[in-house]
Amino acid sequence: MTASIGGGRRILVTGGAGYLGSVLSPLLLERGYAVRCLDRLYFGQAPIESLLRDDRFELHRANLADLVDAHEAREEGSPSELERVLEGVDGVIHLAGLANDPSCELDRELTERTNITATRGLGQVARAMRIERFVFASSCSVYGAAADSIVDEESPCRPVSVYAESKVASELDLDALAAEPDGDDPGFTPVYLRQATLFGYSPRMRFDLAVNLMTLHGVSKGRILVLGGGQQWRPFLHTRDAARAFIAAFEAPAEAVRKVRLNVGCDAENYKIIDLARAIAERLAKPENRDRGWEVEVEVAPEDDDKRSYHVAFERIGEVLGWKPEVTVRDGAEEIAQAIEDGKLPDPETTSVYWNIRTLKDALAVPAVDDGEPVRSSFLPFALPLLGREEEEEVVATLRSGWITTGPRTARLEKLIADYTGAKHAVCVNSCTAALHLSLVAAGVGRDDEVITSPITWPSTANVIVHQGAKPVFVDVEPDTFNMDPDRLEAAITDRTRAIVPVHMAGQPVDLDRIGAIAAARGIPVIEDAAHALGARYRERPIGSISKATCFSFYPIKNITTGEGGCVTTDDDEWAETLRVHALHGISRDAWKRYRQDASETSIHWECVAPGFKYNMPDLSAAIGIHQMGRLEGFIDRRRRIARRYDRAFQNVPEVVIPRVDDDIRHARHLYIIMVRPEMLSIDRDRLVLALKAEGIGTGIHFRSLHVQPWYRETFGFAPDAFPNAAMVSERIISLPLYPKMDDRDVETVIRAVRKLVDAYRK
């Protein structure tokens, strides 16, 4: 080759430090090209160290998939890092990706992101930047199960592995981008090189390829073990020959190669695996090598279910590119054996960088926050609502009805909730905060009164007590349920106690019999904060039908949603009337009763009977909730199945504590909370939350105790150790994603992320 051919043109080589890239890059430099190498450097920088001394070689260390994601997320008009990588480039040779079947099977989502999404994104940006030539490293494995005949480029693809599927998908994505020249637009010419299985020496050596592995075992063990019976067909290709093919494809006229698929290999280098092993054994044992002790036996293991078998024809590449291979399998085996003997490949059996799957496993074990690979390529939010067509149609119908404030749909939702909980009355309002506030009003709570509640709750539980001029009195929680501890309740009661507000934390009912008995003995009403607990049961009784009042939340991430909303259930007629009047300014008639056609004459006038609030739920919100109620049992069933999967996954992880669930209750499974043991980890809870975010997993903290929150701490003078259990769990709890919209794959990624980080940070 001569330096005049490249003419200084710059080629972007993705994966340029890899097994093939570290062979191709120096050949391109010899031919006169400048090389921009884009590589994640999973396997280190050593393979291209010598090239870095050449001014024409430029290394850009990055993960292509990350660059594509960043490009798509950028603000419109601002240049992306991917565009800067492609700036001034005359063509792309795209080698980067997960490169063999076992590695790709290890993490399907990572394979799709790395091999398909990144390829498509790179092609789109290259096309937009008018880069004409795009040579793509595909694979003969796309033919999959084709042992019954010789296949060529016109044969159908029959991929039987995730790796092969990713190559087929990428070819089709790039096909969609192909374009003819048009004026000053050079067009876009993707070329697909379907390579045979590679072999041979490389600066970034691999021993997880058939020829290389057999040679290693022949030299080091004197034995080659053939798996799967050895009857599978494979074609083979030396790295240097493959590199020459990529150069030829880059230099070919566009009209000759646009959207062309070319098998890269040699007809004579198709082997059944058993015959490959014998050929390598024969070459190593040839007379000239006898003094080296390379006497090799071939053993065959029983057949397995390996469906990959393809005998490939390679005539077309010679016709299109004038290319033909130069190195045989036998020559390559001797080349590798010599490199091992010369010490160029130290400790090949134990050095991870020679083995893709070992290196990938190592990378996947490193936390993403420490520059490892994240468990997920797309972020899993902590929670999302699950809304369907019925909700959409009901909202549209409400809009078209002309009545969008409180009216018939709100009344319909109230009946559904009352019927579901077994309560006599259900009063829908615009939040659980409103529900709690109105319940305190109905209980007559006022200035200088006291209301007992839990410190592990959302601020609104205590805020509404303060709004009534009363004082919140906290009772510490049980450390294994996070619910109010009934054993500590009586000590908190004084002659100023006007209500007790227990919180069903995460959806697990508190001990209502004990709390109710203590309250009833003193004539104190119990107002349940059931924001998490719609659908829960306490000893076969639905939550919502037991205490004086029960307050539910329909916030978007709750067990059902109305967008924003809440509800109070009660069996007390006077309380129900007080709740309704105070929810709408304290007036005696709502708009539906005043303005509908069949309104009676006595409904024409309204009166303000109390200084109420603007807490009513509009029909537009109720329209969503009506159909959510019909799906509630299905939602809870899905939540329970996810929770059971989490329980099984974490039950033998000592660094993670799973809260106790009592046998005599039905948990609504609004939240799945774990409690970490920081004394067993090298990081604390907050850093673990950030590490989970880096893995692509959203989480929550429910909750940091109110007694350590600034306003409550400073206003009431709470010491940190005033409620020791609440203080302890505040620093240890993490809520994991738990919602019906999650699929099984989402659940497994949460489990993998937690276990990965626990393993990584275990003391």
Side-chain angles (χ1 to χ4, degrees):
M1 296 184 181
T2 64
S4 61
I5 295 175
R9 286 182 294 167
R10 179 176 286 108
I11 299 176
L12 174 67
V13 181
T14 70
Y19 180 59
L20 177 55
S22 60
V23 175
L24 172 62
S25 293
L27 291 184
L28 288 168
L29 293 172
E30 288 177 19
R31 204 162 176 84
Y33 292 99
V35 175
R36 182 173 292 163
C37 169
L38 174 64
D39 201 292
R40 175 72 167 77
L41 296 184
Y42 268 135
F43 306 95
Q45 191 169 294
I48 56 170
E49 199 68 55
S50 63
L51 302 182
L52 293 171
R53 293 190 287 272
D54 191 320
D55 291 340
R56 296 169 301 154
F57 184 84
E58 175 188 353
L59 172 63
H60 193 105
R61 181 176 183 177
N63 184 337
L64 174 60
D66 290 343
L67 297 187
V68 169
D69 288 346
H71 175 81
E72 293 177 351
R74 78 196 191 287
E75 293 184 7
E76 189 172 351
S78 60
S80 68
E81 184 178 356
L82 181 56
E83 288 172 325
R84 289 192 288 271
V85 169
L86 286 166
E87 187 176 358
V89 163
D90 297 293
V92 175
I93 296 179
H94 181 38
L95 309 178
L98 296 184
N100 65 354
D101 293 321
S103 296
C104 292
E105 299 291 342
L106 195 62
D107 190 325
R108 187 181 187 105
E109 184 180 15
L110 179 63
T111 300
E112 291 175 356
R113 178 176 184 248
T114 304
N115 289 14
I116 302 175
T117 306
T119 297
R120 180 172 59 245
L122 177 64
Q124 289 170 339
V125 178
R127 172 71 183 93
M129 296 182 69
R130 298 190 173 187
I131 297 170
E132 181 266 333
R133 189 60 52 91
F134 192 104
V135 187
F136 174 61
S138 191
S139 169
C140 285
S141 66
V142 299
Y143 300 116
D148 54 342
S149 62
I150 298 176
V151 295
D152 61 19
E153 290 85 351
E154 301 304 318
S155 300
C157 293
R158 299 172 181 172
V160 294
S161 67
V162 176
Y163 171 67
E165 290 171 0
S166 74
K167 293 300 182 183
V168 173
S170 292
E171 288 184 11
L172 295 175
D173 284 342
L174 293 171
D175 271 349
L177 296 172
E180 301 280 347
D182 183 13
D184 61 352
D185 184 348
F188 185 68
T189 305
V191 191
Y192 313 106
L193 298 191
R194 292 176 172 174
Q195 304 167 91
T197 302
L198 294 176
F199 69 90
Y201 178 77
S202 164
R204 198 256 107 175
M205 191 60 190
R206 288 178 59 184
F207 282 109
D208 52 2
L209 297 164
V211 174
N212 301 1
L213 179 61
M214 289 180 179
T215 303
L216 171 63
H217 287 174
V219 170
S220 63
K221 300 178 180 180
R223 180 173 68 98
I224 297 174
L225 179 63
V226 176
L227 301 176
Q231 297 304 305
Q232 312 95 318
W233 280 97
R234 295 283 197 286
F236 295 92
L237 173 68
H238 193 272
T239 52
R240 189 174 180 88
D241 287 333
R244 290 174 45 247
F246 276 91
I247 293 172
F250 182 82
E251 294 176 350
E255 59 273 13
V257 294
R258 184 174 293 116
K259 295 175 64 174
V260 169
R261 285 144 173 87
L262 297 173
N263 296 333
V264 187
C266 176
D267 291 346
E269 297 301 304
N270 280 285
Y271 286 89
K272 285 187 175 181
I273 297 300
I274 182 62
D275 295 330
L276 176 71
R278 290 167 179 158
I280 292 171
E282 289 171 6
R283 173 52 70 95
L284 294 180
K286 71 179 184 178
E288 301 95 299
N289 293 331
R290 283 177 184 164
D291 60 339
R292 297 177 174 178
W294 293 348
E295 294 293 333
V296 182
E297 295 180 1
V298 175
E299 297 181 19
V300 181
E303 292 187 18
D304 59 20
D305 60 354
D306 188 352
K307 299 176 182 178
R308 299 168 299 163
S309 184
Y310 36 94
H311 187 167
V312 182
F314 296 100
E315 182 179 356
R316 180 178 293 182
I317 189 169
E319 296 172 350
V320 175
L321 300 181
W323 172 94
K324 63 180 181 180
E326 298 174 348
V327 185
T328 67
V329 161
R330 290 173 173 83
D331 294 337
E334 190 163 0
E335 170 192 53
I336 296 165
Q338 187 65 55
I340 294 171
E341 186 174 79
D342 292 346
K344 293 181 179 179
L345 302 168
D347 303 316
E349 292 279 6
T350 58
T351 303
S352 292
V353 294
Y354 296 143
W355 308 83
N356 276 12
I357 195 163
R358 291 184 194 174
T359 303
L360 181 57
K361 284 182 176 179
D362 290 345
L364 291 175
V366 175
V369 74
D370 295 329
D371 205 29
E373 278 295 329
V375 166
R376 292 182 61 94
S377 58
S378 59
F379 187 72
L380 178 68
F382 166 65
L384 290 171
L386 181 56
L387 302 168
R389 179 176 295 178
E390 295 89 348
E391 288 91 339
E392 293 177 7
E393 290 175 348
E394 194 73 42
V395 168
V396 171
T398 304
L399 292 170
R400 289 174 176 171
S401 75
W403 195 274
I404 60 176
T405 189
T406 305
R409 285 179 171 83
T410 303
R412 182 177 163 193
L413 178 59
E414 289 175 339
K415 185 176 188 311
L416 288 171
I417 295 168
D419 290 346
Y420 180 84
T421 60
K424 186 176 181 181
H425 302 281
V427 180
C428 284
V429 289
N430 59 16
S431 68
C432 188
T433 303
L436 289 164
H437 194 182
L438 293 171
S439 296
L440 295 181
V441 171
V445 173
R447 187 167 300 280
D448 298 327
D449 289 337
E450 293 178 352
V451 176
I452 295 173
T453 190
S454 167
I456 298 294
T457 185
W458 186 247
S460 61
T461 309
N463 289 352
V464 294
I465 298 170
V466 175
H467 293 329
Q468 285 300 103
K471 176 184 177 182
V473 176
F474 295 136
V475 170
D476 206 0
V477 297
E478 298 170 327
D480 53 357
T481 67
F482 318 136
N483 278 339
M484 179 186 288
D485 186 347
D487 290 339
R488 301 170 186 259
L489 176 58
E490 286 196 81
I493 296 175
T494 71
D495 58 3
R496 291 190 293 173
T497 302
R498 295 291 176 266
I500 299 171
V501 183
V503 178
H504 302 306
M505 190 60 204
Q508 172 161 239
V510 300
D511 191 340
L512 282 172
D513 282 353
R514 291 186 63 197
I515 292 173
I518 292 169
R522 294 159 178 78
I524 301 171
V526 173
I527 300 167
E528 299 171 39
D529 183 338
H532 296 176
L534 183 64
R537 288 177 174 268
Y538 177 76
R539 297 179 180 172
E540 301 306 318
R541 291 174 288 171
I543 294 299
S545 65
I546 300 171
S547 300
K548 191 72 170 182
T550 305
C551 302
F552 297 106
S553 172
F554 306 142
Y555 185 69
I557 67 171
K558 294 300 194 293
N559 284 20
I560 71 162
T561 186
T562 57
E564 294 277 1
C567 182
V568 187
T569 59
T570 183
D571 287 341
D572 189 295
D573 295 340
E574 291 185 9
W575 274 49
E577 181 62 19
T578 299
L579 294 168
R580 291 190 186 282
V581 169
H582 282 78
L584 190 62
H585 303 294
I587 64 175
S588 57
R589 294 287 186 272
D590 64 30
W592 180 247
K593 292 177 180 177
R594 298 197 308 272
Y595 298 128
R596 64 186 184 182
Q597 188 175 8
D598 61 349
S600 66
E601 290 185 6
T602 58
S603 298
I604 293 175
H605 298 289
W606 53 265
E607 295 178 323
C608 182
V609 296
F613 312 96
K614 179 60 173 169
Y615 283 163
N616 60 305
M617 175 184 284
D619 270 16
L620 202 56
S621 295
I624 301 172
I626 287 167
H627 296 285
Q628 289 274 291
M629 281 299 297
R631 303 165 74 182
L632 175 58
E633 285 301 306
F635 288 167
I636 293 175
D637 180 65
R638 177 58 180 160
R639 288 175 177 273
R640 294 176 75 184
R641 282 186 282 124
I642 294 172
R644 285 196 295 269
R645 179 68 189 100
Y646 284 158
D647 285 346
R648 291 194 300 271
F650 302 133
Q651 63 184 353
N652 295 318
V653 180
E655 295 83 1
V656 172
V657 178
I658 302 170
R660 185 189 87 233
V661 177
D662 294 327
D663 294 333
D664 57 353
I665 61 97
R666 183 205 196 195
H667 201 305
R669 289 298 184 187
H670 170 56
L671 297 175
Y672 189 90
I673 300 175
I674 60 173
M675 188 161 63
V676 298
R677 290 175 167 165
E679 68 275 10
M680 301 179 72
L681 299 170
S682 60
I683 61 172
D684 60 17
R685 188 273 314 278
D686 290 356
R687 287 179 60 200
L688 186 57
V689 166
L690 294 176
L692 283 166
K693 183 178 181 181
E695 298 294 338
I697 306 297
T699 60
I701 297 173
H702 297 87
F703 299 99
R704 289 183 64 239
S705 181
L706 289 181
H707 85 282
V708 299
Q709 298 288 350
W711 191 86
Y712 284 92
R713 183 185 69 235
E714 294 165 8
T715 301
F716 298 104
F718 293 126
D721 59 354
F723 308 100
N725 290 336
M728 182 270 294
V729 302
S730 291
E731 302 305 317
R732 296 176 177 232
I733 53 178
I734 302 175
S735 299
L736 301 180
L738 174 68
Y739 49 99
K741 203 168 187 176
M742 293 173 67
D743 59 27
D744 290 346
R745 192 169 164 191
D746 293 329
V747 176
E748 293 307 313
T749 59
V750 174
I751 293 168
R752 282 172 49 205
V754 172
R755 295 185 69 108
K756 169 184 175 178
L757 295 174
V758 167
D759 288 343
Y761 295 122
R762 181 177 286 120
K763 284 184 177 178

